[in-house]
């Protein structure tokens, strides 16, 4: 893929707010030169070791009220397909099944067991339904079956039959299950205590691929939802047909079951056929072989800890921890992303893992340049932005003046730091927000997602850079062949996101629906990250345009924040004020109060040239009608506001002399004594130290 020249020009148009000269220097010469420590909501540095005990599982006795109740599904507004998915989750689970997987020869035992349960469920219909309703239900079911057998297409919306309102919740649940077990070709939907019966169109679709008998048995198996049971379709020698069955089951029920093909020897014919076996997906604690006490009685355990990592990409760290703990990456939550080439300290929370279990992997993860401490039990996960800010301890090496600058270097450094300390810096999103790829940035993927171009977004995600390493070799292979399975075999294990997406593509196929499912293999925080990268890039360009057009004056049509204590982006529209002509003329507001909107569906735009600029950019990017919602990926982007200027807090610095003569002789721009700068400061959440340093040095860092 060729580099988007227009994109690069637009992105490079960042400007400075201060007018000092600046200086040159090098940051991140080593990870220890760039230390980042999260500041929690109480204002404490999270690297401070607490003296509290490490809680053991036997000591954890959370109150029932500490655990959030599962929200009731809004069945009134469910679509036909959504209704099916919601209802399948309300089934009564069997607990008397064999805990081991059954072999193919045991299929009849599995089905007969399910049938005996079905007979019990069918009796429920006679118990709870009067004779007339029961008869009408049978008549409705027979009518649907006859139309399907006669291959008569149902015209218009699917027919419905109402059982009536059933006020008792347990009775309703029994009826839902009983109807679906007796008539697997029907589904039931709840609506204000009323049970509505409809034809199961997924059942009819499966009948086009397998026999009606197999479809009947499959949906009974699916509805019974018996743990550790399996269902096997009839032997099938046609590979293309088997692939179609795999895709149907995974597309419709991939979040509930998984399919695999096995060879089955046909003794009479002397050859082997292949059968498709369906199993319910194991729960996370089963996959990790976690002891039962950690997830007993439906209680969810949350363990908080401080993670220290060195020169490690954050998602790689999470992927490694997930493997060691037997959970999935989305079980981890955090308040913010952290740099790779640095030593970073941040709070994390992991679900379904006890403090004791996390403590047990300390030695293993040290080999990966990670440590965990301050391990403790908490009641909930973290969310992005749930921190006060970050503290930075940074060393800038190889200091030198700008070319043709005759002023003393010490004076230049002091002038630059004091200037930014007093006046602040432009609050740009830093380069980490957009990735370091030269060919594709994360915001380009976000733009494709906002335009519902799922396949394009995947191609961007898997676009290789001009580097010869295992990751880019795998991406190059995909670009040349689009062979998902082969690419997956080449992709290194530590590339958790890439492998998750490829595994989903392999399971669901390269169709539009398959691409959607592939994006769903990434946690919500990662899907929304790409969209936020796009909105962040637009904000960067907007603030550059605002400062170039109006400078440091607050003018009519600007937006200002009326709350002086705001230190993040989560303030409502009620706190945002549109500057009037009179207020602009009277200089009522200062430049540090000006905010600009971050794109979304719940924001207002400035009423001046900047507002028109936003509309022009959205139009040129093909988003003039965008509602900033991607229903297919369950992404909603309400938008918010961001202050155009920020100030570093608690800033201090120290110049250290470097008496290495060899270094001084090699560089004529150095003063008599080579210097390194140690600088420390705090920034609010979502602010970037590299952006602050760039303003201080007037030089790319």
């Amino acid at each position: 893929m060729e580099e988007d020249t227009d994109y690069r020009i637009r992105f490079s148009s960042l400007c400075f707010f201060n007018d000092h000269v600046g200086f040159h220097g090098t940051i991140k010469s080593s990870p220890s030169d760039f230390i980042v420590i999260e500041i929690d909501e109480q204002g404490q540095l999270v690297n401070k070791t607490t003296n509290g005990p490490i809680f053991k599982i036997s000591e954890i006795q959370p109150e029932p009220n500490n655990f959030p109740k599962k929200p009731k599904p809004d069945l009134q507004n469910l679509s036909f397909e959504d209704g099916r998915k919601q209802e399948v989750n309300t089934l009564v689970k069997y607990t008397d099944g064999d805990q081991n997987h059954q072999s193919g020869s045991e299929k009849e035992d599995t089905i007969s067991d399910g049938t005996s349960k079905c007979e019990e469920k069918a009796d429920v219909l006679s118990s709870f339904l009067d004779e007339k309703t029961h008869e009408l239900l049978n008549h409705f079911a027979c009518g649907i079956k006859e139309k399907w057998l006669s291959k008569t297409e149902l015209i218009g919306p699917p027919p419905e039959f109402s059982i009536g309102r059933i006020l008792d919740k347990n009775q309703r649940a029994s009826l839902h299950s009983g109807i679906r077990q007796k008539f697997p070709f029907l589904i039931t939907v709840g609506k204000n205590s009323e049970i509505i019966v409809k034809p199961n169109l997924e059942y009819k679709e499966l009948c086009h691929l397998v026999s009606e008998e197999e479809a009947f048995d499959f949906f009974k198996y699916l509805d019974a939802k018996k743990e550790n049971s399996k269902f096997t379709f009839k032997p099938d020698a046609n590979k293309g047909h088997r692939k179609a069955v795999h895709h149907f089951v995974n597309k419709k029920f991939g979040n509930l079951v998984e399919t695999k093909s096995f060879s089955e020897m046909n003794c009479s014919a002397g050859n082997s056929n292949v059968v498709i076996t369906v199993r319910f997906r194991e729960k996370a604690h089963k996959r990790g072989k976690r002891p039962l006490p950690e997830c007993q009685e439906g209680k969810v355990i949350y363990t908080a800890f401080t993670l220290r990592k060195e020169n490690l990409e954050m998602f790689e760290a999470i992927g490694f921890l997930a493997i060691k703990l037997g959970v999935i990456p989305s079980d981890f939550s955090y308040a913010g992303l952290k740099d790779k080439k640095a030593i970073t300290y941040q709070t994390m929370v992991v679900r379904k893992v006890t403090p004791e279990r996390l403590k047990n992997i300390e030695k293993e993860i040290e080999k990966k340049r990670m440590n965990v401490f301050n391990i403790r039990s908490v009641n909930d996960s973290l969310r992005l932005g749930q921190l006060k800010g970050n503290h930075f301890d940074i060393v800038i090496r190889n200091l030198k003046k700008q070319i043709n600058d005759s002023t003393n270097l010490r004076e230049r450094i002091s002038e630059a730091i004091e200037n930014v300390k007093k006046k602040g810096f432009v609050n740009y999103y830093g380069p980490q927000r957009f990735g370091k790829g030269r060919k594709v940035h994360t915001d380009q993927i976000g733009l494709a997602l906002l335009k519902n171009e799922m396949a394009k977004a995947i191609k961007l995600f898997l676009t290789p850079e001009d580097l010869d390493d295992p990751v880019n070799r795998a991406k190059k292979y995909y670009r040349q062949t689009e062979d998902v399975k082969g690419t997956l075999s080449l992709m290194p294990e530590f590339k958790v996101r890439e492998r998750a997406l490829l595994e989903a593509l392999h399971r669901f196929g390269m169709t539009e629906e398959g691409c959607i499912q592939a994006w769903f293999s990434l946690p919500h925080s990662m899907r929304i990250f790409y969209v936020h990268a796009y909105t962040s890039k637009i904000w960067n360009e907007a603030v550059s345009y605002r400062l170039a057009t109006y400078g440091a004056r607050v003018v009519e049509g600007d937006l200002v924040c009326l709350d002086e204590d705001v230190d993040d982006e989560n303030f409502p529209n009620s706190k945002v004020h549109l500057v009037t002509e009179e207020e602009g003329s009277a200089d009522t507001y200062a430049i540090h109060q000006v905010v600009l909107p971050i794109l979304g569906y719940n924001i207002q735009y400035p009423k001046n040239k900047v507002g028109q600029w936003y509309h022009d950019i959205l139009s040129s990017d093909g988003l003039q009608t965008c509602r900033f919602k991607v229903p297919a990926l369950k992404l909603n982007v309400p938008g918010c506001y961001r202050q155009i200027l920020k100030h570093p807090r608690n800033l201090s610095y120290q110049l250290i002399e470097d008496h290495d003569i060899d270094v001084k002789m090699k560089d004529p721009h150095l003063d008599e004594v080579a210097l390194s700068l140690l600088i420390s400061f705090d920034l609010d959440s979502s602010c970037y130290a590299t952006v602050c340093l760039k303003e201080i040095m007037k030089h790319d860092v």
Side-chain angles (χ1 to χ4, degrees), residues 422-597:
K422 179 181 178 182
K423 298 181 181 179
F425 60 95
V426 185
N427 191 22
Y428 288 119
Y429 288 99
Q432 306 96 301
R433 189 82 166 190
F434 312 105
K436 295 187 177 180
R438 291 185 56 81
K439 292 191 175 181
V440 176
H441 283 204
T442 53
D443 55 274
Q444 292 169 286
I445 298 172
L447 175 58
L449 293 178
L450 282 172
K451 296 168 78 170
N452 281 289
E453 296 172 342
M454 303 299 168
K456 179 180 179 181
I458 283 177
K459 286 183 179 179
L460 289 168
F461 184 85
L462 294 173
T463 296
E465 297 292 334
D466 292 327
L467 297 170
D468 187 24
D469 57 59
V471 175
N472 283 291
R473 283 197 291 271
K475 289 182 177 181
K476 286 171 187 173
Y477 175 80
Y478 175 78
R479 184 183 187 187
Q480 293 163 358
T481 66
E482 293 196 353
D483 172 12
V484 175
K485 187 175 181 180
T487 307
L488 186 56
S489 68
L490 294 172
M491 189 63 68
E493 289 289 334
F494 70 87
K495 299 305 287 186
V496 178
R497 286 170 290 171
E498 285 80 356
R499 290 188 61 83
L501 188 138
L502 287 165
E503 285 169 357
L505 285 177
H506 180 53
R507 182 191 307 162
F508 297 106
M510 281 295 295
T511 62
E512 183 71 13
E513 178 65 24
C515 291
I516 290 172
Q517 293 297 332
W519 282 111
F520 264 117
S521 70
L522 302 184
H524 179 272
S525 59
M526 180 49 55
R527 298 196 301 275
I528 200 72
F529 168 78
Y530 290 107
V531 175
H532 284 165
Y534 172 76
T535 61
S536 300
K537 180 189 70 117
I538 297 301
W539 191 92
N540 274 6
E541 295 171 358
V543 73
S544 290
Y545 179 82
R546 163 61 182 78
L547 291 171
T549 304
Y550 297 118
R553 281 197 62 241
V554 181
V555 301
E556 178 186 359
D558 272 336
L559 299 174
V560 294
C561 177
L562 298 178
D563 189 343
E564 291 291 332
D565 296 325
V566 156
D567 60 1
D568 61 20
E569 299 167 356
N570 300 312
F571 50 93
N573 275 309
S574 60
K575 295 280 181 76
V576 176
H577 171 70
L578 188 68
V579 177
T580 64
E581 182 181 1
E582 293 76 15
E583 290 169 336
S585 301
D587 292 331
T588 306
Y589 301 104
I591 188 65
H592 72 269
Q593 294 175 280
V594 173
V595 298
L596 284 176

